Amino acid sequence: MNAMEEDRVTVIRKLLMMSSTKRIPLSKLYHKRLLFGIPEDFRDRVAKYPNYFKVTVEEDGKRVLELVNWDPLLAVSALEREFMVDEDRVKKAFKFPLKHGKSLDLEEDDMRKVNLLNTLPLVSPYSNGSKFELWTLEAEKYRVGVLHEFLSLTLEKRASIHHIVEFKEELCLTKHTYQMLLKQPRTFYLAGTEMNWVVFLKDAYGEDGVLINKDPQVFFNEKLYRYAQMLEMEPRSDIVGK
């Protein structure tokens, strides 16, 4: 936890930057801390970073973490960074078909080009989501992008409905999130039912279903799980080496 503190501080800063009010109740971050690898005592640790965070207490006693300084260098999404490396792949990540496009009677290749024009440019998840009219194309682009960025900040590049609903207000999401994700199968994989689902970032996993780039905390957790499942004690050298 100490070794990864700087990375976790960055995660919290980016979450606050994505929040429409640049504020998140400390209780929310605490309850979902394992999703992001945030240490249990992070509420004490934030006091070490007065240039990044401020804790305010509301009238009802609720403690809220606020962003102190906006950092434009952090306001770059995982998709934007990947765009610099593989532009074609990012262009295909999402699809926002033109409404009534079939009535244009275009060839398949031409229809694909028209849909691409409708899809791009994407909307940054670090935009103010509250400024978009609820059911516009820009608002849906924002919500898809903010969920992609949210998942990219998690340890295992996945989250359940319960995790996402917790941040519904901050991320300006709607009750139709499940249906929205279903329309983007190139990027998101949904497991479960509409009432109880988990969403995965598809590109974060290999064909074998294993996370490709694992956070050190994930490696530690996996080692701990293996140790907990042991029926007999192995030689210490074997445990350490695994």
Side-chain angles (χ1 to χ4, degrees):
M1 287 297 183
N2 290 336
M4 298 302 297
E5 182 169 307
E6 185 176 342
D7 291 292
R8 304 308 185 235
V9 166
T10 297
V11 166
I12 296 175
R13 291 175 71 193
K14 289 173 79 72
L15 287 171
L16 287 169
M17 289 171 66
M18 284 196 290
S19 170
S20 60
T21 61
K22 310 300 177 274
R23 310 167 77 240
I24 300 177
L26 274 169
S27 58
K28 286 190 179 186
L29 291 169
Y30 180 78
H31 291 150
K32 303 305 177 186
R33 66 189 184 279
L34 297 180
L35 184 67
F36 304 102
I38 298 172
E40 186 172 8
D41 62 346
F42 87 95
R43 289 175 292 189
D44 299 322
R45 296 189 188 219
V46 294
K48 295 162 53 180
Y49 302 94
N51 293 332
Y52 299 156
F53 310 118
K54 178 175 68 174
V55 177
T56 59
V57 182
E58 298 187 337
E59 291 183 1
D60 59 0
K62 181 190 296 182
R63 299 173 68 205
V64 178
L65 190 66
E66 295 185 0
L67 183 72
V68 172
N69 290 311
W70 178 272
D71 188 344
L73 296 179
L74 291 184
V76 180
S77 69
L79 272 178
E80 289 172 314
R81 291 196 302 271
E82 191 172 345
F83 187 84
M84 304 300 293
V85 179
D86 191 345
E87 180 177 332
D88 290 337
R89 200 210 69 77
V90 174
K91 284 181 177 180
K92 298 174 183 176
F94 302 120
K95 184 178 180 182
F96 296 94
L98 188 69
K99 288 185 177 180
H100 313 297
K102 291 183 179 180
S103 64
L104 297 176
D105 195 28
L106 297 174
E107 296 290 337
E108 183 178 347
D109 190 51
D110 291 332
M111 193 71 247
R112 188 180 300 113
K113 291 178 181 178
V114 170
N115 285 335
L116 184 60
L117 289 174
N118 203 47
T119 299
L120 299 175
L122 299 175
V123 177
S124 171
Y126 296 97
S127 306
N128 184 355
S130 63
K131 73 178 182 180
F132 299 113
E133 293 189 25
L134 195 57
W135 304 116
T136 60
L137 176 62
E138 286 72 22
E140 185 165 355
K141 286 183 179 182
Y142 164 78
R143 290 191 291 267
V144 167
V146 83
L147 278 175
H148 185 283
E149 185 72 355
F150 180 87
L151 292 173
S152 74
L153 295 176
T154 65
L155 281 184
E156 298 185 358
K157 315 308 175 194
R158 61 171 178 157
S160 73
I161 177 176
H162 309 292
H163 297 135
I164 291 172
V165 167
E166 188 81 20
F167 295 94
K168 178 182 175 182
E169 293 180 3
E170 287 80 7
L171 302 181
C172 301
L173 300 175
T174 73
K175 63 181 180 180
H176 302 292
T177 297
Y178 180 82
Q179 290 84 354
M180 181 185 72
L181 292 173
L182 276 179
K183 293 190 293 184
Q184 306 294 342
R186 296 174 179 173
T187 296
F188 303 114
Y189 174 77
L190 282 162
T193 66
E194 186 171 354
M195 301 304 295
N196 188 18
W197 47 266
V198 177
V199 59
F200 298 76
L201 277 183
K202 290 180 73 171
D203 283 352
Y205 288 80
E207 294 182 1
D208 56 359
V210 176
L211 194 61
I212 297 173
N213 297 313
K214 296 183 179 180
D215 184 275
Q217 182 68 45
V218 174
F219 278 116
F220 177 84
N221 292 346
E222 290 177 346
K223 189 177 292 188
L224 186 63
Y225 299 153
R226 287 198 302 269
Y227 184 73
Q229 293 169 357
M230 287 170 49
L231 297 178
E232 295 182 4
M233 181 65 73
E234 296 179 7
R236 178 175 174 79
S237 59
D238 292 341
I239 296 173
V240 173
K242 290 186 178 181

Coordinates of all heavy atoms in Angstrom, one line a residue, residues 39-98:
P39 N -6.1 2.2 0.1 CA -5.9 1.7 1.4 C -7.0 2.1 2.4 O -7.6 3.1 2.2 CB -4.5 2.3 1.9 CG -4.3 3.5 1.0 CD -5.0 3.2 -0.3
E40 N -7.2 1.3 3.4 CA -8.2 1.5 4.4 C -8.1 2.8 5.1 O -9.1 3.5 5.5 CB -8.3 0.3 5.4 CG -9.5 0.4 6.3 CD -9.6 -0.8 7.2 OE1 -8.7 -1.7 7.1 OE2 -10.7 -0.9 7.8
D41 N -6.8 3.2 5.3 CA -6.6 4.5 6.1 C -6.4 5.7 5.2 O -5.8 6.7 5.5 CB -5.4 4.3 7.0 CG -4.1 4.1 6.2 OD1 -4.2 3.8 4.9 OD2 -3.0 4.2 6.7
F42 N -7.0 5.6 3.9 CA -6.7 6.7 3.0 C -7.3 8.0 3.5 O -6.9 9.1 3.1 CB -7.3 6.3 1.6 CG -8.8 6.7 1.4 CD1 -9.1 7.9 0.8 CD2 -9.7 5.8 1.9 CE1 -10.5 8.2 0.7 CE2 -11.1 6.2 1.7 CZ -11.4 7.3 1.1
R43 N -8.4 7.9 4.3 CA -9.0 9.2 4.8 C -8.0 10.0 5.7 O -8.1 11.2 5.8 CB -10.3 8.8 5.6 CG -11.4 8.4 4.7 CD -12.6 7.9 5.5 NE -12.3 6.7 6.3 CZ -13.3 6.0 6.9 NH1 -14.5 6.4 6.9 NH2 -12.9 4.9 7.6
D44 N -7.1 9.3 6.3 CA -6.0 9.9 7.0 C -4.9 10.4 6.1 O -4.3 11.4 6.3 CB -5.5 9.0 8.1 CG -6.5 8.6 9.1 OD1 -7.3 9.5 9.5 OD2 -6.5 7.5 9.6
R45 N -4.6 9.6 5.1 CA -3.5 9.9 4.2 C -3.7 11.1 3.3 O -2.8 11.8 2.9 CB -3.2 8.7 3.3 CG -2.8 7.4 4.0 CD -2.3 6.3 3.0 NE -2.1 5.0 3.7 CZ -1.1 4.2 3.4 NH1 -0.2 4.6 2.4 NH2 -0.9 3.1 4.0
V46 N -5.0 11.4 3.0 CA -5.2 12.6 2.1 C -4.8 13.9 2.7 O -4.5 14.8 2.0 CB -6.7 12.7 1.8 CG1 -7.2 11.5 0.9 CG2 -7.6 12.8 3.0
A47 N -4.6 13.9 4.1 CA -4.2 15.1 4.7 C -2.7 15.4 4.4 O -2.3 16.6 4.5 CB -4.3 14.9 6.3
K48 N -2.0 14.4 3.8 CA -0.6 14.7 3.4 C -0.6 15.4 2.1 O 0.5 15.8 1.6 CB 0.1 13.3 3.2 CG 0.3 12.6 4.5 CD 0.6 11.1 4.3 CE 1.7 10.9 3.4 NZ 2.0 9.4 3.2
Y49 N -1.7 15.6 1.4 CA -1.7 16.2 0.1 C -2.7 17.4 0.0 O -3.6 17.4 -0.8 CB -2.1 15.1 -1.0 CG -1.3 13.9 -1.0 CD1 -1.6 12.8 -0.2 CD2 -0.1 13.9 -1.7 CE1 -0.8 11.7 -0.2 CE2 0.7 12.8 -1.7 CZ 0.4 11.7 -0.9 OH 1.2 10.6 -0.9
P50 N -2.3 18.5 0.7 CA -3.2 19.7 0.7 C -3.3 20.4 -0.6 O -4.2 21.1 -0.8 CB -2.6 20.5 1.8 CG -1.1 20.1 1.9 CD -1.2 18.7 1.6
N51 N -2.3 20.1 -1.5 CA -2.3 20.7 -2.8 C -3.3 20.0 -3.7 O -3.6 20.6 -4.8 CB -0.9 20.8 -3.4 CG 0.0 21.7 -2.7 OD1 -0.4 22.6 -2.1 ND2 1.3 21.4 -2.7
Y52 N -3.7 18.8 -3.4 CA -4.6 18.0 -4.2 C -6.0 18.0 -3.6 O -7.0 18.0 -4.4 CB -4.1 16.6 -4.4 CG -2.7 16.5 -5.0 CD1 -1.9 15.4 -4.8 CD2 -2.2 17.5 -5.9 CE1 -0.7 15.2 -5.4 CE2 -1.0 17.3 -6.5 CZ -0.2 16.2 -6.2 OH 1.0 16.0 -6.8
F53 N -6.1 17.8 -2.3 CA -7.4 17.5 -1.7 C -7.8 18.4 -0.6 O -6.9 19.0 0.1 CB -7.4 16.1 -1.1 CG -6.9 15.0 -2.1 CD1 -5.8 14.3 -1.8 CD2 -7.6 14.8 -3.3 CE1 -5.4 13.3 -2.7 CE2 -7.2 13.8 -4.2 CZ -6.0 13.0 -3.9
K54 N -9.1 18.6 -0.4 CA -9.6 19.3 0.8 C -10.8 18.5 1.3 O -11.7 18.1 0.5 CB -10.0 20.7 0.4 CG -10.6 21.5 1.6 CD -10.8 23.0 1.2 CE -11.9 23.1 0.2 NZ -12.3 24.5 -0.1
V55 N -10.9 18.4 2.6 CA -12.0 17.7 3.2 C -12.9 18.7 3.9 O -12.5 19.5 4.7 CB -11.6 16.7 4.3 CG1 -12.8 16.0 5.0 CG2 -10.7 15.6 3.7
T56 N -14.2 18.7 3.5 CA -15.2 19.7 4.0 C -16.2 18.8 4.7 O -16.5 17.7 4.4 CB -15.8 20.5 3.0 OG1 -16.5 19.7 2.0 CG2 -14.8 21.4 2.3
V57 N -16.8 19.4 5.8 CA -17.9 18.8 6.5 C -19.2 19.5 6.3 O -19.3 20.7 6.5 CB -17.6 18.8 8.0 CG1 -18.7 18.0 8.8 CG2 -16.2 18.1 8.3
E58 N -20.2 18.8 5.7 CA -21.5 19.4 5.4 C -22.3 19.6 6.7 O -22.0 19.0 7.8 CB -22.2 18.7 4.4 CG -21.4 18.6 3.0 CD -22.2 18.0 1.9 OE1 -23.1 17.2 2.2 OE2 -21.8 18.3 0.7
E59 N -23.5 20.2 6.6 CA -24.3 20.5 7.7 C -24.8 19.2 8.4 O -25.0 19.2 9.6 CB -25.5 21.3 7.3 CG -25.2 22.8 6.9 CD -26.4 23.6 6.6 OE1 -27.5 23.0 6.7 OE2 -26.2 24.8 6.3
D60 N -25.0 18.2 7.6 CA -25.5 16.9 8.2 C -24.3 16.0 8.7 O -24.5 14.9 9.1 CB -26.2 16.1 7.1 CG -25.4 15.8 5.9 OD1 -24.2 16.2 5.8 OD2 -25.9 15.1 5.0
G61 N -23.1 16.6 8.7 CA -22.0 15.9 9.2 C -21.2 15.0 8.2 O -20.2 14.4 8.5
K62 N -21.7 15.0 7.0 CA -21.1 14.2 5.9 C -19.7 14.8 5.6 O -19.7 16.0 5.3 CB -22.0 14.1 4.7 CG -21.4 13.3 3.6 CD -22.2 13.4 2.3 CE -23.6 12.8 2.5 NZ -24.4 12.9 1.2
R63 N -18.7 14.0 5.5 CA -17.4 14.5 5.1 C -17.2 14.3 3.6 O -17.4 13.2 3.1 CB -16.3 13.8 5.9 CG -16.4 14.0 7.4 CD -15.3 13.1 8.1 NE -14.0 13.6 7.8 CZ -12.9 12.8 7.9 NH1 -13.1 11.5 8.2 NH2 -11.7 13.2 7.7
V64 N -16.8 15.3 2.9 CA -16.7 15.3 1.5 C -15.3 15.6 1.0 O -14.7 16.6 1.5 CB -17.7 16.2 0.8 CG1 -17.6 16.2 -0.7 CG2 -19.1 15.9 1.2
L65 N -14.8 14.8 0.1 CA -13.4 15.1 -0.4 C -13.6 16.0 -1.7 O -14.3 15.7 -2.6 CB -12.7 13.8 -0.8 CG -11.2 13.9 -1.2 CD1 -10.4 14.3 0.1 CD2 -10.7 12.6 -1.7
E66 N -12.8 17.1 -1.7 CA -12.9 18.0 -2.8 C -11.6 18.2 -3.5 O -10.5 18.0 -2.9 CB -13.3 19.4 -2.3 CG -14.7 19.5 -1.7 CD -15.1 20.9 -1.4 OE1 -14.3 21.8 -1.6 OE2 -16.2 21.1 -0.9
L67 N -11.7 18.4 -4.8 CA -10.5 18.6 -5.6 C -10.0 20.1 -5.4 O -10.8 21.0 -5.5 CB -10.8 18.4 -7.1 CG -9.6 18.6 -8.1 CD1 -8.7 17.4 -7.9 CD2 -10.1 18.6 -9.5
V68 N -8.7 20.2 -5.1 CA -8.1 21.6 -4.9 C -7.6 22.2 -6.2 O -7.9 23.3 -6.5 CB -7.0 21.5 -3.8 CG1 -6.3 22.8 -3.8 CG2 -7.5 21.1 -2.5
N69 N -6.9 21.4 -7.0 CA -6.3 21.9 -8.2 C -6.6 21.0 -9.4 O -6.5 19.8 -9.3 CB -4.8 22.1 -8.1 CG -4.4 23.2 -7.1 OD1 -4.9 24.3 -7.3 ND2 -3.5 22.9 -6.2
W70 N -7.0 21.6 -10.5 CA -7.2 20.8 -11.7 C -5.9 20.7 -12.4 O -5.1 21.6 -12.6 CB -8.2 21.6 -12.6 CG -8.4 21.0 -13.9 CD1 -7.7 21.1 -15.1 CD2 -9.5 20.0 -14.3 NE1 -8.2 20.3 -16.1 CE2 -9.3 19.7 -15.6 CE3 -10.5 19.5 -13.5 CZ2 -10.2 18.8 -16.2 CZ3 -11.3 18.6 -14.1 CH2 -11.2 18.2 -15.5
D71 N -5.6 19.4 -12.8 CA -4.3 19.2 -13.5 C -4.6 18.7 -14.9 O -5.1 17.6 -15.1 CB -3.5 18.1 -12.7 CG -2.1 17.8 -13.3 OD1 -1.9 18.3 -14.4 OD2 -1.3 17.2 -12.6
P72 N -4.3 19.6 -15.9 CA -4.6 19.2 -17.3 C -3.8 18.0 -17.8 O -4.3 17.3 -18.7 CB -4.2 20.5 -18.1 CG -3.3 21.2 -17.2 CD -3.7 20.9 -15.8
L73 N -2.7 17.7 -17.2 CA -2.0 16.5 -17.6 C -2.7 15.2 -17.2 O -2.5 14.2 -17.8 CB -0.6 16.6 -16.9 CG 0.4 17.7 -17.4 CD1 1.7 17.6 -16.6 CD2 0.6 17.7 -18.9
L74 N -3.5 15.3 -16.1 CA -4.3 14.1 -15.7 C -5.6 14.0 -16.5 O -6.2 13.0 -16.5 CB -4.6 14.2 -14.2 CG -3.4 14.0 -13.2 CD1 -3.9 14.0 -11.8 CD2 -2.6 12.7 -13.6
A75 N -6.0 15.1 -17.1 CA -7.3 15.1 -17.8 C -7.2 14.5 -19.2 O -7.7 15.0 -20.2 CB -7.8 16.6 -17.9
V76 N -6.4 13.5 -19.3 CA -6.2 12.7 -20.5 C -6.7 11.3 -20.2 O -6.2 10.6 -19.3 CB -4.7 12.7 -21.0 CG1 -4.6 11.9 -22.3 CG2 -4.3 14.2 -21.1
S77 N -7.7 10.8 -21.0 CA -8.2 9.5 -20.7 C -7.4 8.4 -21.3 O -6.5 8.6 -22.1 CB -9.6 9.4 -21.4 OG -9.5 9.4 -22.8
A78 N -7.6 7.2 -20.8 CA -6.9 6.0 -21.3 C -7.1 5.9 -22.9 O -6.2 5.5 -23.6 CB -7.4 4.8 -20.6
L79 N -8.3 6.2 -23.3 CA -8.6 6.1 -24.8 C -7.8 7.1 -25.6 O -7.3 6.8 -26.6 CB -10.1 6.3 -25.1 CG -11.0 5.1 -25.0 CD1 -12.4 5.5 -25.2 CD2 -10.5 4.0 -26.0
E80 N -7.7 8.3 -25.0 CA -6.9 9.4 -25.7 C -5.4 9.0 -25.8 O -4.8 9.2 -26.8 CB -7.1 10.7 -25.0 CG -8.5 11.3 -25.2 CD -8.7 12.5 -24.3 OE1 -8.4 12.5 -23.1 OE2 -9.2 13.5 -24.8
R81 N -4.9 8.4 -24.7 CA -3.5 7.9 -24.7 C -3.3 6.8 -25.7 O -2.3 6.8 -26.5 CB -3.1 7.5 -23.3 CG -3.0 8.6 -22.3 CD -2.2 8.1 -21.1 NE -2.8 6.9 -20.4 CZ -3.7 7.0 -19.5 NH1 -4.2 8.2 -19.1 NH2 -4.2 5.9 -19.0
E82 N -4.3 5.9 -25.8 CA -4.2 4.8 -26.8 C -4.3 5.3 -28.2 O -3.8 4.7 -29.1 CB -5.3 3.8 -26.5 CG -5.1 2.5 -27.2 CD -6.1 1.4 -26.7 OE1 -6.7 1.6 -25.7 OE2 -6.2 0.4 -27.5
F83 N -5.1 6.4 -28.4 CA -5.3 6.9 -29.7 C -4.0 7.3 -30.4 O -3.8 7.2 -31.6 CB -6.2 8.2 -29.6 CG -6.6 8.7 -31.0 CD1 -7.7 8.2 -31.7 CD2 -5.9 9.8 -31.6 CE1 -8.1 8.7 -32.9 CE2 -6.3 10.3 -32.8 CZ -7.4 9.8 -33.5
M84 N -3.0 7.8 -29.5 CA -1.7 8.2 -30.0 C -0.9 6.9 -30.5 O 0.0 7.1 -31.3 CB -0.9 8.9 -28.9 CG -1.6 10.1 -28.4 SD -2.0 11.4 -29.6 CE -0.3 11.9 -30.0
V85 N -1.3 5.8 -30.0 CA -0.5 4.5 -30.3 C -1.2 3.8 -31.4 O -0.6 3.3 -32.4 CB -0.4 3.6 -29.1 CG1 0.4 2.4 -29.4 CG2 0.4 4.4 -28.0
D86 N -2.5 3.6 -31.3 CA -3.3 2.8 -32.3 C -4.6 3.6 -32.6 O -5.7 3.3 -32.1 CB -3.6 1.4 -31.7 CG -4.2 0.5 -32.7 OD1 -4.6 0.9 -33.8 OD2 -4.2 -0.7 -32.4
E87 N -4.5 4.5 -33.5 CA -5.6 5.3 -33.9 C -6.8 4.5 -34.5 O -8.0 4.8 -34.1 CB -5.2 6.4 -34.9 CG -6.2 7.3 -35.4 CD -5.7 8.4 -36.4 OE1 -4.5 8.7 -36.3 OE2 -6.5 8.8 -37.2
D88 N -6.5 3.6 -35.3 CA -7.6 2.8 -35.9 C -8.4 2.0 -34.9 O -9.6 1.9 -35.0 CB -7.0 1.8 -37.0 CG -6.5 2.5 -38.2 OD1 -6.9 3.7 -38.5 OD2 -5.6 2.0 -38.9
R89 N -7.7 1.4 -33.9 CA -8.4 0.6 -32.9 C -9.3 1.5 -32.1 O -10.5 1.1 -31.8 CB -7.4 -0.1 -32.0 CG -8.0 -1.3 -31.2 CD -7.4 -1.5 -29.9 NE -7.7 -0.5 -29.0 CZ -8.9 -0.3 -28.4 NH1 -9.9 -1.2 -28.6 NH2 -9.1 0.6 -27.5
V90 N -8.9 2.7 -31.7 CA -9.7 3.6 -30.9 C -10.9 4.0 -31.7 O -12.0 4.2 -31.2 CB -8.9 4.8 -30.4 CG1 -9.8 5.8 -29.7 CG2 -7.8 4.3 -29.5
K91 N -10.7 4.3 -33.0 CA -11.8 4.7 -33.9 C -12.9 3.6 -33.9 O -14.1 3.9 -34.1 CB -11.4 4.9 -35.3 CG -10.6 6.2 -35.5 CD -10.2 6.4 -36.9 CE -9.5 7.7 -37.2 NZ -9.1 7.9 -38.6
K92 N -12.6 2.3 -33.7 CA -13.5 1.3 -33.8 C -14.1 0.9 -32.4 O -14.9 -0.1 -32.3 CB -12.9 0.0 -34.4 CG -12.5 0.2 -35.9 CD -11.7 -1.0 -36.4 CE -11.2 -0.7 -37.8 NZ -10.4 -1.9 -38.3
A93 N -13.6 1.5 -31.3 CA -14.0 1.2 -30.0 C -15.5 1.3 -29.7 O -16.1 0.5 -29.1 CB -13.2 2.0 -29.0
F94 N -16.0 2.4 -30.2 CA -17.5 2.6 -30.0 C -18.2 2.8 -31.4 O -17.5 3.1 -32.4 CB -17.7 3.9 -29.2 CG -17.0 3.8 -27.8 CD1 -16.0 4.8 -27.5 CD2 -17.3 2.9 -26.9 CE1 -15.4 4.7 -26.3 CE2 -16.7 2.8 -25.7 CZ -15.8 3.7 -25.3
K95 N -19.5 2.6 -31.3 CA -20.2 2.8 -32.5 C -21.5 3.6 -32.2 O -22.3 3.1 -31.4 CB -20.6 1.5 -33.2 CG -21.3 1.6 -34.5 CD -21.5 0.2 -35.1 CE -22.3 0.3 -36.4 NZ -22.6 -1.1 -37.0
F96 N -21.7 4.7 -32.8 CA -22.9 5.5 -32.7 C -23.6 5.6 -34.1 O -23.3 6.6 -34.7 CB -22.6 6.8 -32.1 CG -22.1 6.8 -30.7 CD1 -20.7 6.8 -30.5 CD2 -22.9 6.7 -29.6 CE1 -20.2 6.7 -29.2 CE2 -22.4 6.6 -28.3 CZ -21.0 6.6 -28.1
P97 N -24.4 4.7 -34.5 CA -24.9 4.7 -35.8 C -25.8 5.9 -36.0 O -26.5 6.4 -35.1 CB -25.8 3.4 -35.9 CG -25.2 2.5 -34.8 CD -24.8 3.5 -33.7
L98 N -25.8 6.4 -37.2 CA -26.7 7.5 -37.6 C -28.2 7.1 -37.6 O -28.5 6.0 -38.1 CB -26.4 8.0 -39.0 CG -27.0 9.3 -39.5 CD1 -26.5 10.5 -38.7 CD2 -26.8 9.5 -41.0

